[in-house]
Amino acid sequence: MHHFARLDRERVRRVGVPEVILGEGKRVDHLLSIVRALSERKLGALLSRPTPAQVRALRAWHPEPGRPGLRFLADDRIVRVPGPLGTRYRHGVAAILTAGTSDVPLAEESRAVLRCLGIRVVRAYDVGVAGLHRLLTALHRVEAQRPEVYLVFAGREGALPTVVAGLVMAPVVGVPTSVGYGRGGRGEAALNAMLQSCAPLAVVNIDAAVPAALFAAQRFAERAPAGARRVLRRGP
Amino acid sequence: MHHFARLDRERVRRVGVPEVILGEGKRVDHLLSIVRALSERKLGALLSRPTPAQVRALRAWHPEPGRPGLRFLADDRIVRVPGPLGTRYRHGVAAILTAGTSDVPLAEESRAVLRCLGIRVVRAYDVGVAGLHRLLTALHRVEAQRPEVYLVFAGREGALPTVVAGLVMAPVVGVPTSVGYGRGGRGEAALNAMLQSCAPLAVVNIDAAVPAALFAAQRFAERAPAGARRVLRRGP
Amino acid sequence: MHHFARLDRERVRRVGVPEVILGEGKRVDHLLSIVRALSERKLGALLSRPTPAQVRALRAWHPEPGRPGLRFLADDRIVRVPGPLGTRYRHGVAAILTAGTSDVPLAEESRAVLRCLGIRVVRAYDVGVAGLHRLLTALHRVEAQRPEVYLVFAGREGALPTVVAGLVMAPVVGVPTSVGYGRGGRGEAALNAMLQSCAPLAVVNIDAAVPAALFAAQRFAERAPAGARRVLRRGP
Amino acid sequence: MHHFARLDRERVRRVGVPEVILGEGKRVDHLLSIVRALSERKLGALLSRPTPAQVRALRAWHPEPGRPGLRFLADDRIVRVPGPLGTRYRHGVAAILTAGTSDVPLAEESRAVLRCLGIRVVRAYDVGVAGLHRLLTALHRVEAQRPEVYLVFAGREGALPTVVAGLVMAPVVGVPTSVGYGRGGRGEAALNAMLQSCAPLAVVNIDAAVPAALFAAQRFAERAPAGARRVLRRGP
Amino acid sequence: MHHFARLDRERVRRVGVPEVILGEGKRVDHLLSIVRALSERKLGALLSRPTPAQVRALRAWHPEPGRPGLRFLADDRIVRVPGPLGTRYRHGVAAILTAGTSDVPLAEESRAVLRCLGIRVVRAYDVGVAGLHRLLTALHRVEAQRPEVYLVFAGREGALPTVVAGLVMAPVVGVPTSVGYGRGGRGEAALNAMLQSCAPLAVVNIDAAVPAALFAAQRFAERAPAGARRVLRRGP
Amino acid sequence: MHHFARLDRERVRRVGVPEVILGEGKRVDHLLSIVRALSERKLGALLSRPTPAQVRALRAWHPEPGRPGLRFLADDRIVRVPGPLGTRYRHGVAAILTAGTSDVPLAEESRAVLRCLGIRVVRAYDVGVAGLHRLLTALHRVEAQRPEVYLVFAGREGALPTVVAGLVMAPVVGVPTSVGYGRGGRGEAALNAMLQSCAPLAVVNIDAAVPAALFAAQRFAERAPAGARRVLRRGP
Amino acid sequence: MHHFARLDRERVRRVGVPEVILGEGKRVDHLLSIVRALSERKLGALLSRPTPAQVRALRAWHPEPGRPGLRFLADDRIVRVPGPLGTRYRHGVAAILTAGTSDVPLAEESRAVLRCLGIRVVRAYDVGVAGLHRLLTALHRVEAQRPEVYLVFAGREGALPTVVAGLVMAPVVGVPTSVGYGRGGRGEAALNAMLQSCAPLAVVNIDAAVPAALFAAQRFAERAPAGARRVLRRGP
Amino acid sequence: MHHFARLDRERVRRVGVPEVILGEGKRVDHLLSIVRALSERKLGALLSRPTPAQVRALRAWHPEPGRPGLRFLADDRIVRVPGPLGTRYRHGVAAILTAGTSDVPLAEESRAVLRCLGIRVVRAYDVGVAGLHRLLTALHRVEAQRPEVYLVFAGREGALPTVVAGLVMAPVVGVPTSVGYGRGGRGEAALNAMLQSCAPLAVVNIDAAVPAALFAAQRFAERAPAGARRVLRRGP
């Protein structure tokens, strides 16, 4: 597209989920160029974690007349560039839990991505292990929807994913969040606790709400008839 | 069972995979007591990573006449206590890849667990990213089996799971291995690289071959009619 | 006593608990000299974690005729030098819980110290959070004894002390254990998780079973009429 | 209460101390909603460490006429939402010491919590070990009040709790503070030094003034007749 | 030059590359004094990473009439003080690759230095390993220029230098960039992955674009007839 | 003095150097109270590293008429409260060296302290090991003054103190500075390199310019006739 | 070759240096199978760091009659499997320096690899910076051979590569060694110091003598007429 | 001397203390060659920390007839090769203190070095801060000898050097020891605590008993008439 960016439009056909363009770390003009190019080619996309300066620039930008504008989701942490994402998913439900209130903005990021892909989400927030009763009540309500995958967000001591993975049959992905201070703060204790868990549990990085959502989405992806194999046959 | 151990036979009904008893860290007599109690009750189980002293004791132990003996798999890293595990899985294939030859013993641990559960495994070993050609040839062969989940083992720089997760549609779980020396050795660099990956990738802890296998197995587990929900309804 | 060791016999009067002599790190002959000197003066003491070489030497040593011999407790991790410890405690119960079987040897170290001091202990082992049901059953049994303090041992993800501290009224002290491998292993994840806990929880160092026992014992210590204050008045 | 927060009003009955709502990390509107809901239900609460933006919002907020307003304590680090906290404590004294002047704001946080709960506090500030004389003079004055528990705050080398725990009979809780620069700064050296202490000493996380206060308060909590046990009997 | 700075004008004769003056960490007036002194003596130089305040001061500064002004390159990250640098290089091509768009500003820093020294650069940006196809296409184009050295920039999992070093014959220098968040973020995972690489790969520090450029430039430096040896003969 | 601060005026008699009051981390009003109290009692003192807000407050403050005002040294990093410090030193010279220009502000901090105490300082700045020639020339000039102690400041790779300690007979104290970026930046590499040095070298913490100056000053302190011993005799 | 190993014989054509098979971490029978297969195909190879058990097995193994046996170099740290390596290098000299005597075994590993490839090596050992005089004398002798690349080994404070890179024109690769104890020991301080160096310096991992040798060897590799490009053209 | 070792006999004239040859990490035959060469030239030397294998070889070695044999000190941790060391010191006393019994072997290492150099040592062992009374009694006795420098050894929380440096006028050097387990163990907490100390305190690395002794010895070294300056004048 430009000398500084090459979008990978084939990725969704190979791996079943679209590339999500990370805002953080990119220059504002670089990001705008990417969005403009996508819009001109009538291609949809997802942006994540734009910086405040990027959000201002994106809100000030408008597509050519007749084209739909950007949609800002999850308190501006996810931006939907309208147009096809190239994905198709079967029906199914994903569950999102958080241990505390401070984890909610990250959980909403995952939820926005999953909903942009058309996947239904059931959520239960602020259900950490220091109050087992509220956790079990909430989990009972969530299980009634028969979710096929759980994303469980927790900062601080990060115990919630372990407890949930000891109670439900669907795979649980732990998402440590950068909540907490002092030794083990900023998500370090939570990440390590999840890695040490005795329960069957896979994890993503601290605050990695978008990769977690994409990993969960793959479960619902419908394999294109000859998709990934063809890519491999002709060489990458 | 004893004052020092309480087996969780309900776990398999709640979460779809059996508890695996870790040998490391347990006293030899504690481990033998557990095996004896299981055998007396005609319950099956899996043990992982017995120490050399534990292996000697287990090999010297024999069940009561007429009962089948222990099976030692994956170079004695997995031990099968005969008897029902309480699990049932639908058909399906899991793929196991390793970046190097030194990762093979860990990969074989995962493979032994999956095979004990009746899940078919396709494997490709020593296919690291420093030789892309051999990786792509191997991946082409593996994809032909249409695996539904990948376990990708890599030590040192840990790049293989990222590359694979950029090429296939099934979910990829990275398993960092304690291979490598110096700064970032013992699996630290590999784990962190997988956590930083741009591809949709979930990880388990360094050398966590058994948890990875259980996480993969959950994908094939058949949900018991009223399983986890009942557990939750009556309280844990 | 010797140029290499000065026992602090006043400590028990100042702080309510006796000094415990750590075996690890001391030369065998230094440790024997200390024991011999104590025995000659008819003073009791506790030794912790003698090395195998120290245990051999201590078992080979015998006091002068008519004096009782050493007692070896908790699989030789605690040694009681007979004679008065200078402490007096009111009645009461302490509870000791462990998350797994591998934590038991450390828990038994704490229990041996508390029992040497005459404090009653109720215990529940292998009741980790991956199986909530067995935890709650065990906790119900323990609470029936109305313990005034809890020592909760956990390695790996270290979640048990947090869950317990959210359920009981007595103060909970978390003891991380060096159980677990890979990132966060050797007790690091457990320690940090306990430090991050939202529940009211104090912690001691990894594997610090003896300091935890002493901290718990202080709760039962009877303050000598003019004890610590006198020490302070005349200057330390 | 809301989809993003579930207050645990039962906690005080189970564990003897009320939940304290942490400001940091919460969105301003989330925090205000919680306060509003509490006030409407005439429930008291404690907030800790509101951010400057949260403080501004809280100061601008007023309860319905006739209801008492918020009280701001310890330089706005603790906020008291008026109304019952559901706690009752017997008489007794807690001691709070700091090694330096920079530790004072944190110590005042603990003191505000304890005083909100009705517990008397005796304090001695800036009494670090580099000047033993002033420490011993101050400790003599403090001991005269016969405190039943000590909270000892220290940053930098964190030696004060060890020295105090070698001189007094009441249990000592070390609170490392994020004071100090360079290697071991931000409380790391202090925390580790306290964990390594030879004296009977329990610790909380760096700057964890509120958890330390709650742990100390438990000592004075009066057990409700059937409290925690009932919770456990009916399941959490 | 001043009591606070001593420029090493001999360095270029000894080691083949000029000293580059780092802006960060220097006081604005110190930096201006250095530039003024250089200009008065008609000596050229390179400055790197001036802070915003330094850039403002440098832009406001003007040399004496008739002398050329400063040149600002790579978005003000490199500043060229006009005048001779004392270097001479043979013809040749260096290649610069980046894994992502966020690495581009650092790569442009290296490119500006190399171009100031008169070395030709071929570049390929945003060609990370998650999309092998675009990497191989770009590498094919780059190899056609027969570069004699590669600088490969990558943050996050840092896999690109390993893959490139497995495909090309010219030496590859990995430059980890401070891109990425959570565990292993800020370039830590990338640096360690490069250090662990199985391919022949040398690395520089995180974000060390200027040292990497100088290391690459040495390859093209023409050895002065008696240069370094004379320095050694007379003693440094 | 106040409930939040207790000055240790005896310290200088015990240890030969005055207490230096650290500004950082103290509340502005606390710091001003201390200064006011000192001034009223006609006691001198040194403050270090006041924050910008503290500097503004200190500059706005004026002593009672007839008393000399505060003196601001080393770019406001050291503030001299006029009045006796209680110290007396014999003649002698201390040397201060820095590896780079960015280390100069810290070196000037040490120099200001030493000069306030009346100790003569010879300095050589920006003489790092990458240019041995300028180092040796400078060292020759410094040695001509026969310094009795060296303070050697270095960030980044921290090699200068090792090289100097291999060339001179006076004791060398290494002062690592928080200069440098990436892995080992902020002084970490420099501190560790100094700790690993083969040369006889003692170190202080990163950026610890004031403690280094006090440690050096002790060498010149004249022992009061009965000083420290008397303190010890009557107890601390 | 086997299911556990796939040798990359094309690598030398692509990257100019042969694969070196690391012994550490491989099972003895796996390693022997690889050697046997190479010998049967009359292919040469290099093995590095065989464990003592591997060395015993390799010494006991003998090729078929008429084939030359294995050669053990550098105290058995490098093993040469006879036969063509597929490499060709132009004339030239590489220099190898060490800071201490303890670095010599690692330096000899690099030297053995370079000599197996036919590259001439000049060496100077135990010339660390604490004795500048012996360093400069040795460097003078080494420079007389006009080396085109330097490998400089140093543990502890790791300053030697920086000093050398400030004196010579050829590129310098620093090799940190796991020499040293305490904080920054096992090569950590040395690695970080080299990464922080102001001089143009690239580094490899701690103890990475073989990768360093291969990186140096690439400088002398003669590019095959259509080598790497062809590999890229047909896809990897 | 050999290609693997170059002794620096000039060092003692430049820096006032002799080089001490570290045993650890050297091959046995290398170390013996060095000792043999020294003995043949009738030069004295100190060896530190020989490994058990080195001790055996050294004890089996005998000098030529008529020459005195090696002396083994401090439990074989220091070995004296007889012959002149080239040093001369004025009279004076150094003090050595340890916090615990486990620190004694390291303290004895320092004492052996100082005594080989002819410096008188006064010692007080096992006087840690958990028992202030025994510390003050011991310190009173030590101060009576008027030591000019203190070496204070402490592991675990490392508080002793801080307390001593707040009580005495002579410079205090803290020596952290690798005593302690869990978080902050192996001397890490002690080192960091000493670096954070508010008292004037310089430190050496963990277990660095020999460098500490040499640093202390410099205080007593008599400057050769034209020593270091001449070295610098003629270039190193």
Side-chain angles (χ1 to χ4, degrees), chain A residues 114-189:
Chain A
L114 285 166
R115 292 184 65 185
C116 285
L117 301 184
I119 296 165
R120 201 154 69 81
V121 175
V122 52
R123 59 184 169 168
Y125 292 166
D126 196 22
V127 293
V129 299
L132 275 191
H133 197 57
R134 64 185 175 182
L135 165 59
L136 292 171
T137 307
L139 202 49
H140 190 246
R141 175 175 59 75
V142 168
E143 272 286 297
Q145 309 290 318
R146 307 207 68 153
E148 290 179 64
V149 63
Y150 276 81
L151 300 183
V152 184
F153 291 73
R156 308 202 57 163
E157 83 280 6
L160 184 60
T162 289
V163 170
V164 172
L167 292 172
V168 303
M169 191 167 271
V172 176
V173 178
V175 190
T177 65
S178 58
V179 169
Y181 57 83
R183 175 79 192 145
R186 299 191 313 275
E188 277 289 326

Side-chain angles (χ1 to χ4, degrees), chain H residues 85-167:
Chain H
L85 294 171
T87 57
R88 212 170 50 194
Y89 301 97
R90 63 172 173 74
H91 284 290
V93 173
I96 299 184
L97 274 62
T98 78
T101 299
S102 304
D103 308 318
V104 168
L106 285 155
E108 289 289 294
E109 235 178 89
S110 289
R111 187 167 154 258
V113 169
L114 285 167
R115 292 184 64 185
C116 285
L117 302 183
I119 296 165
R120 201 153 69 80
V121 175
V122 53
R123 60 185 168 166
Y125 292 166
D126 195 24
V127 294
V129 299
L132 275 189
H133 196 57
R134 63 186 176 181
L135 166 60
L136 292 170
T137 306
L139 203 48
H140 190 244
R141 174 175 61 77
V142 168
E143 272 286 298
Q145 308 291 320
R146 308 206 68 151
E148 291 180 64
V149 64
Y150 276 81
L151 300 184
V152 185
F153 292 73
R156 308 202 56 162
E157 83 279 7
L160 183 61
T162 290
V163 170
V164 172
L167 291 172

Side-chain angles (χ1 to χ4, degrees), chain F residues 45-61:
Chain F
L46 290 169
L47 316 182
S48 70
R49 297 196 188 160
T51 60
Q54 290 171 343
V55 169
R56 279 192 300 276
L58 291 168
R59 285 193 178 280
W61 176 82

Side-chain angles (χ1 to χ4, degrees), chain E residues 11-175:
Chain E
R11 184 192 284 200
V12 71
R13 298 204 47 189
R14 286 198 317 274
V15 305
V17 291
E19 193 179 22
V20 176
I21 300 156
L22 182 65
E24 272 175 5
K26 292 204 175 56
R27 285 172 36 180
V28 173
D29 58 328
H30 282 183
L31 190 65
L32 268 185
S33 294
I34 295 171
V35 169
R36 200 173 296 120
L38 286 163
S39 179
E40 281 163 9
R41 300 180 204 180
K42 299 198 162 57
L43 296 169
L46 290 169
L47 315 182
S48 71
R49 298 198 188 161
T51 61
Q54 290 171 342
V55 169
R56 279 192 300 277
L58 290 168
R59 285 193 179 280
W61 176 81
H62 292 291
E64 51 274 42
R67 293 273 300 147
L70 304 173
R71 272 196 304 140
F72 294 83
L73 307 167
D75 288 317
D76 296 350
R77 294 167 84 104
I78 300 290
V79 182
R80 177 71 165 92
V81 182
L85 293 172
T87 59
R88 210 170 51 192
Y89 301 96
R90 63 173 173 73
H91 283 289
V93 174
I96 298 184
L97 274 63
T98 77
T101 299
S102 304
D103 308 317
V104 169
L106 285 156
E108 289 288 295
E109 232 178 90
S110 289
R111 189 168 152 256
V113 169
L114 286 166
R115 293 184 65 185
C116 285
L117 301 183
I119 296 165
R120 200 154 69 79
V121 174
V122 53
R123 59 183 169 169
Y125 292 165
D126 195 22
V127 293
V129 300
L132 277 190
H133 197 58
R134 64 187 174 180
L135 165 59
L136 292 171
T137 305
L139 202 49
H140 190 246
R141 176 175 60 76
V142 168
E143 272 287 297
Q145 309 290 320
R146 309 205 67 151
E148 291 180 63
V149 63
Y150 277 80
L151 300 183
V152 184
F153 292 73
R156 309 203 56 163
E157 83 280 6
L160 184 59
T162 289
V163 170
V164 172
L167 291 172
V168 304
M169 191 167 269
V172 176
V173 178
V175 190

Side-chain angles (χ1 to χ4, degrees), chain E residues 184-196:
Chain E
R186 298 190 314 274
E188 276 290 325
L191 170 58
N192 291 353
M194 294 179 200
L195 288 169
Q196 285 290 335

